[in-house]
Amino acid sequence: MSTYRFLPNLYIGGNLREITKKKWFISHGLPVSHCYAIVLSHREDTALEIMTIDELHKKFRKMDHYDVIGLSTSRHGAFTLLTQVYTDVFANTGTYRVKQYMLGQME
């Protein structure tokens, strides 16, 4: 089963409610409707990925570990959050090294 780690100050988009409940459902592999996750990518050439919660739970991803940095009710809202993430990272570090910055925030 996939394991999930959530950013302490999770980026929230749209009208997403009951965040604690949604995080619990995600952590336990249960479906969450109308929810998109922004996760740190496992690929070297990509910093972030946007995927539905169902994509996170698919069988071919069962052995992966995910660092979730944001949740949104829509794909458009997730892209809006990406803009906010990159803006915050640049404001705090002067660079666009999102993975390194977010991994530092997770600890």
Side-chain angles (χ1 to χ4, degrees):
M1 183 172 172
S2 298
T3 58
Y4 303 94
R5 187 168 65 160
F6 294 92
L7 186 68
N9 296 321
L10 199 62
Y11 286 87
I12 303 297
N15 296 325
L16 198 64
R17 295 192 171 109
E18 300 178 331
I19 307 305
T20 305
K21 184 177 179 180
K22 289 193 185 325
K23 285 169 49 176
W24 187 88
F25 272 72
I26 293 168
S27 297
H28 288 83
L30 300 171
V32 179
S33 62
H34 306 293
C35 192
Y36 288 80
I38 300 173
V39 298
L40 295 180
S41 178
H42 292 267
R43 297 173 44 187
E44 291 297 321
D45 61 340
T46 308
L48 302 171
E49 294 182 47
I50 297 174
M51 56 183 74
T52 64
I53 302 307
D54 292 338
E55 287 179 295
L56 286 176
H57 297 320
K58 284 187 178 177
K59 286 185 180 183
F60 66 88
R61 297 184 182 266
K62 288 291 185 185
M63 299 306 290
D64 289 341
H65 167 80
Y66 292 99
D67 293 321
V68 180
I69 65 164
L71 296 173
S72 180
T73 56
S74 68
R75 190 164 181 82
H76 175 72
F79 279 108
T80 303
L81 283 179
L82 281 181
T83 304
Q84 185 179 353
V85 168
Y86 277 97
T87 302
D88 290 350
V89 170
F90 188 77
N92 290 320
T93 66
T95 68
Y96 289 110
R97 295 183 180 164
V98 175
K99 273 188 188 178
Q100 292 87 346
Y101 180 74
M102 289 299 166
L103 287 172
Q105 296 297 312
M106 292 279 192
E107 297 172 359

